[in-house]
Amino acid sequence: MTRSLSFLHVALLSALSHVALPPSAAAGEAPPERALVWVADDGTRVRREDVGLPLSRGDGNALFRPGEPIRLGALRAEVIAFQVIVEAGAEPVRGVTVELSGLAPAAGAGAPSKAPPVPAQAISIDRFVEHYVEIKQRSRTDKRPMESLGWSPAARPPDDRHLGFLPDALIPVELAPPWAPYPLEVGARETRAVWIDLHVPEGAVPGLHEGKVVVSSASHGELASLDLRLDVASATLPYGPVDFIAFYEAGRVAERVGDGPAVEQQLWQLLHEHHVDGFASVRSPAEVERLRAAIDGSLYTRERGYRGPGQGVPPAAVALGAYGGFGDPTEEALRRVEAVAELLPPAVDDVMLYAVDEQCESPRGPGWRRLVRGSRLSSRILVGHSCGNVHPVEQDVDLVLTPANRFDSAWARAAHEAGKRLWVYNGALPRAGSFMIDAPLTGLMADGWIAATHPIGRWFLWETAFWHDGNRGGKGPVDPFTVAENFHNRDGDACLGDGMLLYPGTQRGRFASRSVGFAGVFPSMRLKTLRRGIQDAGYIALARSASPGAVDAIVKEVIPAALDETLDTSPTAWSSEGAPFFEARAALRALIPADASLDAAGVRRALAEAAAARRALVPRAGSQGAGDEPPAGGPGQTAPGPLRRFRATGLLLAALALGAAALALAIALYRRGRPGRGARRR
């Protein structure tokens, strides 16, 4: 099919520049007096008290207009999501159900130009109750309340969208408990929502698929019947186009949810379904055997009950003793490391001996590296540690984990030339997405786009089930269904939802009253939007292999600046609303050739080229030189414990810059002899 790339690009830019999503109803506007049903994209978070939003009328809504069908697009092997919002008027609405009939090919839907790799398969549907947690205080730092581990003061998300009752935990409707009921109970002038995942299998018939979303209630009868039209392209989305790896502490999960292989295996399968690898920390042969199916990929097969994407794909990396689990480097410890490493499946790309966490001055990393060089498994084991303060070339390890908000592309290039590996971890606005609950969902979506177009290696998430607040300075276990503030440290940081992308399906002990009784874990909305961004990276790879210039322009429009392209004194450059991402994704989909697919090597090539092109389009921020110094305004990373992220010096830098500018201006005016000239404010 012939396409006009210039027209497409102009149309996209026009659409993005005119999208405006007001965060709340206009001042003085009365809330609706009747029950209302509307639809939101997967990058939008609607609070329980958000009634009368312009989005509910279709204003600025990327996929919903009253009286029109819900229109979605997808590739094969993709999961797409949307939210059905039920909004009550002056009266509560009781017993609300949201049903979606099976999506079937529309009459006349075309067959693929070549036979699908597997027999045609149906699109499957998962529905989740969105559970709300009350936010009374934001993530913060005691001495600087406007700052947190998730953002600098200049990039702090506004209170008027992040205080109140926010949804995050997603509980399957079949398992909904009385305290998060399904059918839904919607209070007067409140909202409730159901999240819907549509799993488009690799063998789906391309073309238009049609279904109907029917929303009914026990108190008000049928509330809405919405047509849904899903256009499935014949191209196939690659699995895991960018590498996100996520740690979990097995003992803590077992303590809360229950011990046993079923719980841990379900956790791994859930992460894998979302294109995220579990990051196993193995310290003994017994632990390798316990996790063998997860590590060799056999856990992600139909024989093991797995129905998601990435069938049989093993994780990219395994940790030997995460966070320094093997202690100091000794000959006896090396023998234990070798006994574990030699049992790992060869399919795992990176076997990382995690020497120490965020202690750049520690001798453990260099000591382990010297010891491993003399090992029979020296070619198999990478010795690594986390450190963001020292140039990676100067660190005597094979692999350096640096905070995403400390990433410097010149450092990364130098590390690569020196034969070292560089990964990033976590994230803080404005340089990368924040994992906090009280931050826009689009930050995690943006992380997938950032990973696709920057040379960051793998992206490591320090925890996924941090329900115990066990950091030094922590306050002990929390019930994540009622308390969002789950992270404290002795430096005075408090975070909401940090290291908590998963929720416990069962809670034992003091939190048993908030137990669903499911032997496993539930996803969060944040995990879902992270998946959306990772899948978008696959879109970028597929589209760029055909239309590189158009794709680079689209990415630049959606992510104007990230990582070392921005400063901590700047606001976040990408949108806090989902619509621009939704529209850009549609534009990328239109650029992907029919029947396109890429293997892992093809994806790597396409994204490496995207990263090189990105540097030409978007320079590093400020007056940075050849990479001898970290990014301007970069925060220190010296606190111990589970990976601490962020201490901005942006305000100091801003004051210094302002003083220097004022001095330069005064000198110039003095020399010109006309003090009032050129003194206009910006």
Side-chain angles (χ1 to χ4, degrees):
M1 180 175 65
T2 303
R3 302 181 179 90
S4 172
L5 298 184
S6 58
F7 173 80
L8 174 66
H9 181 47
V10 170
L12 171 68
L13 298 187
S14 176
L16 294 181
S17 66
H18 287 86
V19 168
L21 298 181
S24 61
E29 183 177 334
E33 292 301 317
R34 58 183 179 80
L36 181 67
V37 175
W38 55 283
V39 177
D41 62 69
D42 54 359
T44 297
R45 182 183 266 128
V46 180
R47 297 176 301 174
R48 195 173 78 182
E49 55 267 43
D50 282 337
V51 296
L53 293 180
L55 289 171
S56 67
R57 302 187 296 272
D59 296 344
N61 194 319
L63 72 162
F64 172 77
R65 298 285 186 279
E68 297 182 13
I70 305 165
R71 299 182 185 275
L72 298 167
L75 307 181
R76 288 166 161 176
E78 181 179 359
V79 181
I80 56 173
F82 63 97
Q83 303 170 72
V84 178
I85 315 295
V86 182
E87 183 174 320
E91 297 179 349
V93 184
R94 306 296 185 193
V96 177
T97 59
V98 178
E99 303 289 341
L100 174 56
S101 61
L103 287 161
S113 58
K114 60 182 180 181
V118 294
Q121 300 166 1
I123 295 168
S124 60
I125 302 164
D126 287 332
R127 295 169 298 154
F128 303 87
V129 172
E130 297 185 8
H131 175 67
Y132 301 81
V133 63
E134 186 175 14
I135 309 300
K136 296 180 179 179
Q137 276 190 297
R138 303 290 304 283
S139 298
R140 62 199 177 275
T141 295
D142 280 353
K143 295 180 180 179
R144 293 171 297 280
M146 300 299 286
E147 177 186 321
S148 83
L149 296 184
W151 51 76
S152 69
R156 185 177 188 267
D159 285 349
D160 64 359
R161 296 302 300 149
H162 298 94
L163 290 173
F165 285 87
L166 269 63
D168 190 58
L170 297 177
I171 304 173
V173 297
E174 300 85 0
L175 300 174
W179 43 269
Y182 184 85
L184 307 175
E185 297 294 317
V186 189
R189 296 193 175 95
E190 290 184 347
T191 67
R192 294 294 188 276
V194 169
W195 180 287
I196 297 180
D197 274 350
L198 303 179
H199 298 253
V200 181
E202 189 173 345
V205 174
L208 186 64
H209 293 244
E210 296 179 328
K212 192 176 290 289
V213 177
V214 178
V215 183
S216 303
S217 73
S219 60
H220 290 67
E222 185 175 293
L223 301 176
S225 179
L226 307 174
D227 290 329
L228 188 149
R229 295 177 182 172
L230 170 64
D231 189 12
V232 177
S234 60
T236 301
L237 185 76
Y239 178 77
V242 289
D243 291 319
F244 280 76
I245 55 178
F247 179 75
Y248 71 99
E249 196 169 348
R252 294 290 191 178
V253 172
E255 180 182 286
R256 181 68 64 94
V257 182
D259 203 358
V263 172
E264 194 170 23
Q265 289 176 10
Q266 186 270 342
L267 184 153
W268 277 84
Q269 289 182 334
L270 181 66
L271 289 176
H272 193 81
E273 177 187 324
H274 291 79
H275 295 251
V276 176
D277 285 336
F279 194 45
S281 175
V282 290
R283 289 175 294 179
S284 69
E287 289 183 340
V288 175
E289 291 308 314
R290 188 188 85 230
L291 294 171
R292 180 164 296 281
I295 297 172
D296 67 17
S298 61
L299 184 61
Y300 321 115
T301 59
R302 294 184 179 276
E303 292 73 23
R304 302 297 293 267
Y306 181 73
R307 294 291 185 270
Q311 291 275 329
V313 178
V318 170
L320 301 174
Y323 299 109
F326 275 103
D328 292 329
T330 65
E331 290 293 340
E332 189 277 331
L334 176 62
R335 287 193 291 273
R336 290 190 286 117
V337 166
E338 290 173 333
V340 174
E342 64 187 358
L343 294 176
L344 295 174
V348 177
D349 290 336
D350 291 333
V351 177
M352 172 194 178
L353 197 161
Y354 200 151
V356 70
D357 172 39
E358 291 190 337
Q359 298 178 47
C360 298
E361 73 287 351
S362 172
R364 275 193 182 179
W368 270 112
R369 192 185 193 201
R370 288 191 295 272
L371 201 59
V372 167
R373 281 173 177 166
S375 167
R376 68 181 188 277
L377 297 177
S378 59
S379 62
R380 178 72 164 140
I381 300 172
L382 296 168
V383 175
H385 66 195
S386 55
C387 171
N389 292 331
V390 181
H391 197 302
V393 172
E394 299 172 6
Q395 299 183 46
D396 189 14
V397 291
D398 305 305
L399 190 157
V400 176
L401 287 84
T402 190
N405 51 291
R406 291 280 301 182
F407 174 84
D408 182 287
S409 55
W411 282 17
R413 183 173 61 253
H416 178 74
E417 292 171 353
K420 294 179 181 288
R421 306 283 293 279
L422 186 69
W423 298 354
V424 301
Y425 63 86
N426 302 333
L429 301 169
R431 298 176 186 264
S434 170
F435 288 81
M436 311 301 178
I437 288 177
D438 55 330
L441 289 172
T442 54
L444 299 180
M445 203 175 286
D447 283 348
W449 293 64
I450 295 168
T453 52
H454 296 78
I456 62 167
R458 308 194 195 284
W459 201 315
F460 173 50
L461 313 180
W462 74 277
E463 247 281 21
T464 52
F466 197 71
W467 314 311
H468 52 278
D469 200 5
N471 194 28
R472 281 174 283 185
K475 298 186 177 182
V478 300
D479 170 14
F481 293 109
T482 58
V483 176
E485 193 169 300
N486 71 316
F487 176 101
H488 302 84
N489 62 23
R490 62 185 182 185
D491 295 320
D493 293 297
C495 301
L496 279 61
D498 194 18
M500 192 179 75
L501 293 178
L502 303 172
Y503 286 81
T506 292
Q507 298 203 85
R508 304 190 299 179
R510 60 195 264 201
F511 304 124
S513 63
R514 289 283 178 168
S515 178
V516 179
F518 171 70
V521 294
F522 297 138
S524 61
M525 291 173 69
R526 289 169 293 141
L527 179 61
K528 298 287 185 184
T529 50
L530 177 61
R531 174 190 65 192
R532 180 62 269 169
I534 295 171
Q535 292 185 139
D536 290 348
Y539 270 60
I540 291 169
L542 288 168
R544 201 180 188 284
S545 61
S547 305
V551 171
D552 294 341
I554 291 170
V555 174
K556 184 176 183 293
E557 188 69 23
V558 176
I559 311 290
L563 301 180
D564 61 344
E565 300 160 355
T566 189
L567 300 174
D568 293 329
T569 51
S570 301
T572 303
W574 57 83
S575 176
S576 61
E577 306 293 347
F581 289 86
F582 186 95
E583 299 290 350
R585 190 176 307 122
L588 290 172
R589 190 184 308 113
L591 294 172
I592 297 173
D595 300 319
S597 64
L598 286 173
D599 60 12
V603 171
R604 285 194 297 270
R605 284 193 300 271
L607 296 186
E609 292 167 359
R614 172 78 178 191
R615 178 52 64 232
L617 285 172
V618 185
R620 297 163 72 215
S623 57
Q624 299 169 26
D628 294 330
E629 297 295 333
Q637 295 291 327
T638 59
L643 298 173
R644 192 182 192 288
R645 324 261 227 327
F646 187 85
R647 180 68 65 219
T649 58
L651 292 177
L652 176 60
L653 287 173
L656 292 174
L658 184 60
L663 178 61
L665 179 61
I667 293 171
L669 292 175
Y670 174 77
R671 289 176 175 173
R672 295 170 74 94
R674 285 174 282 187
R677 185 178 180 90
R680 290 178 299 192
R681 267 188 174 175
R682 292 190 178 183

